[in-house]
Amino acid sequence: MLEKTTRMNYLFDFYQSLLTPKQRSYMSFYYLDDFSLGEIAEEFEVSRQAVFDNIKRTENMLEEYEEKLLLFQKFKERTKILNALRDNLGTDELSMKILPFIDALEKLD
Amino acid sequence: MLEKTTRMNYLFDFYQSLLTPKQRSYMSFYYLDDFSLGEIAEEFEVSRQAVFDNIKRTENMLEEYEEKLLLFQKFKERTKILNALRDNLGTDELSMKILPFIDALEKLD
């Protein structure tokens, strides 16, 4: 369950620009702010079921986008490579010159 | 015009998985295989105008996806950083150890 939450947080981060404002609101209350379905329902004056259905549909959409664009998967692979690259650096001059580039690549994600 | 073709080729490359099969076909005949609108119209037995409208709509969709996800822009920034990183390497041991990581990062894009 925690794993699913982490995954949804990432997928939401990568694809939220493709969602509607309502989808974005529900998802962000549920996954980022950890509100319950009931609390979100109250906040938006809709039924708990409506919130549940909307979030389920949005989760499926996010998974479909990931299947097509692989942004999360590529992010994980890139992070792994950048960490391995960093592990090879020392305190020599070349390492010091290379570090800012690695930082810049990480900031792009 | 050449610049637009190059840009569309990249956008198509990044976002084609989000298009319908028909949109993908038209775009790939037009931008990758350099068919004319008339040739595509003949191939699919539709009017030249229909092909034109479909391609225009698809181009707009690709630009909207780019506005939201910035995959092409980030690709260009990543390429610039990786090239600068590569320029700093020599023939020393550390450089030789680092090169495969840069290659791996480039292959991910």
Side-chain angles (χ1 to χ4, degrees):
Chain A
M1 189 53 198
L2 187 66
E3 205 182 316
K4 192 196 161 186
T5 302
T6 307
R7 179 175 175 82
M8 276 303 145
N9 266 296
Y10 273 108
L11 294 186
F12 181 62
D13 204 36
F14 283 115
Y15 302 112
Q16 60 171 301
S17 62
L18 301 175
L19 302 177
T20 67
K22 191 169 90 173
Q23 286 175 320
R24 260 207 296 274
S25 288
Y26 286 6
M27 288 298 279
S28 118
F29 274 113
Y30 192 65
Y31 279 109
L32 304 184
D33 303 329
D34 206 28
F35 276 45
S36 71
L37 294 174
E39 286 168 329
I40 301 172
E42 217 170 292
E43 190 75 21
F44 286 84
E45 298 181 354
V46 295
S47 71
R48 192 185 168 286
Q49 185 66 38
V51 176
F52 177 81
D53 290 345
N54 187 290
I55 287 177
K56 276 286 152 261
R57 261 198 312 276
T58 308
E59 286 174 0
N60 291 338
M61 276 183 67
L62 293 178
E63 289 291 357
E64 271 171 49
Y65 282 130
E66 174 61 11
E67 229 170 84
K68 289 174 177 169
L69 294 172
L70 301 173
L71 298 188
F72 182 38
Q73 189 186 307
K74 284 181 177 178
F75 163 77
K76 283 188 287 186
E77 289 172 31
R78 205 149 35 227
T79 303
K80 211 187 286 178
I81 296 169
L82 288 173
N83 287 339
L85 181 46
R86 211 186 271 279
D87 286 345
N88 274 282
L89 300 184
T91 51
D92 55 289
E93 202 191 331
L94 178 58
S95 293
M96 290 301 110
K97 259 163 70 185
I98 284 174
L99 256 177
F101 293 110
I102 302 179
D103 290 341
L105 286 168
E106 269 173 350
K107 262 223 296 252
L108 262 184
D109 260 321
Chain B
M1 188 52 196
L2 187 67
E3 204 181 316
K4 191 196 161 186
T5 302
T6 306
R7 179 175 175 82
M8 276 303 147
N9 266 296
Y10 272 109
L11 294 186
F12 181 61
D13 203 37
F14 284 115
Y15 301 112
Q16 61 171 299
S17 62
L18 300 175
L19 303 176
T20 67
K22 193 169 90 174
Q23 288 175 319
R24 261 206 296 273
S25 289
Y26 286 6
M27 289 296 281
S28 121
F29 275 113
Y30 192 65
Y31 279 109
L32 304 185
D33 305 328
D34 206 27
F35 276 45
S36 71
L37 293 174
E39 286 169 328
I40 301 172
E42 217 171 289
E43 189 75 22
F44 287 85
E45 300 180 353
V46 294
S47 71
R48 192 185 167 288
Q49 186 65 39
V51 174
F52 177 80
D53 291 345
N54 188 290
I55 287 176
K56 275 288 151 260
R57 260 198 312 276
T58 308
E59 286 173 0
N60 292 338
M61 275 183 67
L62 293 177
E63 289 292 357
E64 272 170 48
Y65 281 130
E66 174 62 9
E67 228 170 83
K68 288 174 178 171
L69 294 172
L70 303 173
L71 297 189
F72 182 37
Q73 189 185 308
K74 284 182 177 178
F75 163 78
K76 284 188 287 188
E77 289 173 29
R78 203 148 38 224
T79 302
K80 211 186 288 177
I81 297 170
L82 288 173
N83 286 339
L85 181 46
R86 210 186 271 279
D87 286 345
N88 274 282
L89 299 185
T91 52
D92 56 289
E93 202 190 333
L94 179 59
S95 293
M96 292 301 112
K97 260 163 70 183
I98 283 173
L99 256 178
F101 292 110
I102 300 178
D103 290 341
L105 286 168
E106 269 172 352
K107 263 224 296 253
L108 262 184
D109 261 320

